[in-house]
Amino acid sequence: MIAEGSALAAGARSLLDVGGESELSALVERSAVELMGEADRWSMGAREVRAYRVVLTVSAEDHVLLTAHPNRLSTLRDAFAAAARTPETELGGLSLVLALPPTGAGFHRHAYRDAPAARVEPPPPPAAVLGGAAELCKARKNRDAEGILRRAAMEQSYVQAAARSMRRFLLRLDPADFARIEREPPLAESITSAVRDAAATADDPASAVHFGLRLDGPLPELPEPEARLAHSLAGKGAACVPITRPDGKTWLAVIGASGVVLVELVPGADKGLVSRGEVKVSRLRVSAEALASAEGADGVSAQIVAALGASKIR
C-alpha cells in the first residue's frame, strides 16, 4: 500500500534535497500533501498497479513560484512519482491546489459537486475563492487585478454539463471596474485565471467565470478611504458613486439634492481640497490621508456638501 501523504511528502523531499532542489523541498515541507479518492487500476505491461492521485495545497506565493516556471512543477511531479513508485503502486497525478483563506484548505475540501449525501462539511463562502484569487494576483504583482477583486462580490452556482455538474462563478463589479475590464481584455483574463486557479480541485482544474454589475450598490465593498467618505456623505443626504480608477486614482461622483460634484481621490498627504472649476460640474481633489479617520472623512464630506450647494445641474 502506498505511504500516507506525509510519508510520501518526506520521500519526495529527500529526493529533491539529494538532487540539489532545496527550494522545492522547502516548498513541499510548508505545503499540505494528501491522497485524493480511490486508486485507479493501471495495466503497465505485465504489471497491474494502483495509481494514486496526490493533491499539493500551496500558498499564493508558492503557486506563482511553480506556475511561473513550469520546469519546477515538472521536477516536483517527478520527485513524487519516484517516491510513489513500487511494484504495486504509481503516481496517478499531482494536482496543484491554492490554499484559500481563512482556513488554508483547498476548494476541493469544501466543494459539493458529486459529494456523498452524508457529507456534513459546509461549502466555502464565495468570499473564500474571491480572497484566494486576490491574494494570487497580489503574489503575481498584478495590483490592478487585485484591486478589482478586492472591490468585487462573488456568486456561485452549479450548472449541469453533460453527466456532471460544473461550478460557475459570477463576479459582480462596480460600474467603473466593469467598464475597465471591457476596455482591457488582458486584465479580464488575468482576473479570470486567478479565480480559476483559486477554485481548482483535484477533479476539476477549471471552472466557468463570468462578469456582471453589482446590484447592491458600491458602499459595502468600497476600499476603506472611499467607504468612510461614502458613509459620511450618506449621513448628509448625498450619494457617492465610483466612476473610474485610472493610474491609482479614483474619480467619485457625489450626488445631492442641490447638485453634483466630481471628487478625485489621489494618494498623498495633502490635507485640503483643490477645486478645479468646470462649466457645469465642480471637481474637487481629496487626498487619501485626509480620509484616514472618521473625523477626517467627516470634515472632508462637509466641504463636499458645501460645494454641492454651489453646483447646480444645468
Side-chain angles (χ1 to χ4, degrees), residues 270-285:
D270 185 0
K271 300 284 187 180
L273 294 171
V274 179
S275 177
R276 297 186 175 184
E278 298 287 340
V279 175
K280 294 184 178 181
V281 180
S282 299
R283 294 170 58 180
L284 308 176
R285 173 175 291 178

Side-chain angles (χ1 to χ4, degrees), residues 2-13:
I2 196 169
E4 62 184 48
S6 58
L8 181 63
R13 292 202 313 270

